[in-house]
Amino acid sequence: MRNIPPLRALHAFEAAARHGSFKAAAAELGVTPTAISHQVRLLEEICGCKLFQRRPRPLVLTSAGARLFPVLRNSFDLLAGSLAAVAEPDVQAPLRVTSPNAFASRWLVPRLPKWREANPAVPLEIIGTDALLDLRAGAADVAIRYTRRPPVGFAGQELCRDSFFPICSPRLLASDGRAIERAADLLRYPLVHFDWMNRDPDAPTWSRWLATARSIDPELIPDKAWDLSFREELHAIDAVAAGQGIAILSDVVVGRELENGSLVKAHPLSLPGYSFYVVWMHHSLRSAVMEAFLAWMRSVL
């Protein structure tokens, strides 16, 4: 018989260590923070040592906890992958890829024929959503994460990083007949805005672009009400493509349109964006396919 502590205690400790919070662990496991605390204390009694430094906050692992956490995390990941393989043993099952909506629609989908040409035996299931699907729970096999920092606890690598420019249809500029010579000239046109769902205060928005542009054009109005505002980034892109205004857009998401000239940069001033990371669970039984998918994405950049 293996001398293994109760699974509930191990699960509670792993979740608390991963989140750095009893409250967040409790929300994930559907129990109370008190229940998480009790299970962690039980595990500490079994181990004969403290696993967390509970004061001062935030929650910090002790040296013993820091040794135990990666072992448990990897073990749970391996177990989840094995169970998924048992539940879906077909090696020809689609590789499920979750991606932000705009990136999936504008970047990934137009390139999918090249994936089918190179990998006809591996079908893809694309899950376009701006929600973060839980890879640990098996919601997808591969995730394309759009973030400033590398996602923690996953295999994978950075694909690329984007920048944001004022972008519009060349038809919009032609309709005015006047050249854009300075940042303030953009205010002659409708400004198109879309919501940033991550609520990042440093997101590349019109407010930030106009504030930055004032350093090179002091007469520029510091702020301006948006002429068009959308909840979804894709709708803003559609409005820009239809010649309805200028938006601050990613040069990666609309890279094809910039390359073929259907969209243009209305001004050279840019704002830094984020990175696209392609990630999957450590020890996945389909790691070779996932690595091939990452290599393919890099090949079609």
Side-chain angles (χ1 to χ4, degrees):
M1 293 290 292
R2 293 183 176 89
N3 185 19
I4 298 177
L7 181 59
R8 186 173 299 176
L10 295 174
H11 207 178
F13 166 74
E14 189 274 341
R18 176 160 37 86
H19 288 290
S21 163
F22 284 176
K23 183 177 180 181
E28 177 182 311
L29 300 181
V31 298
T32 65
T34 300
I36 295 291
S37 179
H38 286 331
Q39 291 298 325
V40 169
R41 288 189 186 278
L42 172 60
L43 184 59
E44 288 176 331
E45 291 174 4
I46 294 171
C47 293
C49 60
K50 294 292 185 183
L51 300 174
F52 287 108
Q53 299 174 10
R54 291 174 173 78
R55 293 290 187 274
R57 290 178 177 167
L59 203 61
V60 177
L61 289 167
T62 64
S63 58
R67 292 195 301 273
L68 180 60
F69 169 55
V71 175
L72 277 181
R73 179 194 62 203
N74 294 341
S75 297
F76 281 133
D77 289 348
L78 183 58
L79 177 61
S82 299
L83 290 173
V86 170
E88 191 178 40
D90 185 3
V91 296
Q92 301 302 323
L95 184 67
R96 298 168 301 160
V97 180
T98 176
S99 165
N101 266 321
F103 184 82
S105 176
R106 293 283 173 165
W107 193 96
L108 183 55
V109 170
R111 291 168 168 80
L112 291 183
K114 293 183 179 180
W115 169 264
R116 290 194 294 272
E117 291 174 7
N119 302 274
V122 185
L124 296 180
E125 177 183 337
I126 307 302
I127 308 170
T129 175
D130 292 328
L132 293 182
L133 298 191
D134 190 350
L135 297 187
R136 293 183 175 86
D141 301 311
V142 178
I144 299 170
R145 299 287 198 232
Y146 188 52
T147 179
R148 294 197 188 278
R149 299 177 183 83
V152 177
F154 298 100
Q157 296 179 20
E158 182 183 61
L159 175 67
C160 61
R161 185 181 297 268
D162 63 2
S163 297
F164 280 73
F165 293 84
I167 290 175
C168 65
S169 166
R171 300 193 311 273
L172 179 70
L173 301 183
S175 67
D176 181 80
R178 292 177 289 174
I180 293 179
E181 299 177 349
R182 47 187 289 195
D185 292 341
L186 270 62
L187 302 184
R188 299 199 303 259
Y189 304 92
L191 303 187
V192 178
H193 170 80
F194 62 89
D195 290 347
W196 278 84
M197 303 308 291
N198 63 3
R199 307 301 181 191
D200 182 358
D202 295 323
T205 61
W206 267 119
S207 294
R208 281 199 63 217
W209 191 91
L210 292 170
T212 303
R214 288 200 73 198
S215 65
I216 58 174
D217 191 351
E219 297 181 9
L220 181 69
I221 299 172
D223 209 342
K224 179 181 185 290
W226 318 128
D227 299 284
L228 279 174
S229 186
F230 295 94
R231 181 69 60 87
E232 299 290 339
E233 181 180 3
L234 276 173
H235 296 160
I237 295 173
D238 288 341
V240 167
Q244 296 179 21
I246 305 175
I248 304 296
L249 299 177
S250 163
D251 62 350
V252 169
V253 171
V254 296
R256 280 165 48 91
E257 290 81 358
L258 290 172
E259 185 176 349
N260 64 32
S262 58
L263 293 178
V264 296
K265 296 173 182 176
H267 194 278
L269 179 65
S270 67
L271 295 175
Y274 301 79
S275 287
F276 294 90
Y277 292 91
V278 182
V279 300
W280 56 88
M281 298 300 299
H282 288 287
H283 310 298
S284 169
L285 297 181
R286 303 186 72 185
S287 291
V289 176
M290 297 167 185
E291 289 171 0
F293 180 72
L294 170 60
W296 169 79
M297 291 190 74
R298 285 179 166 161
S299 73
V300 295
L301 275 173

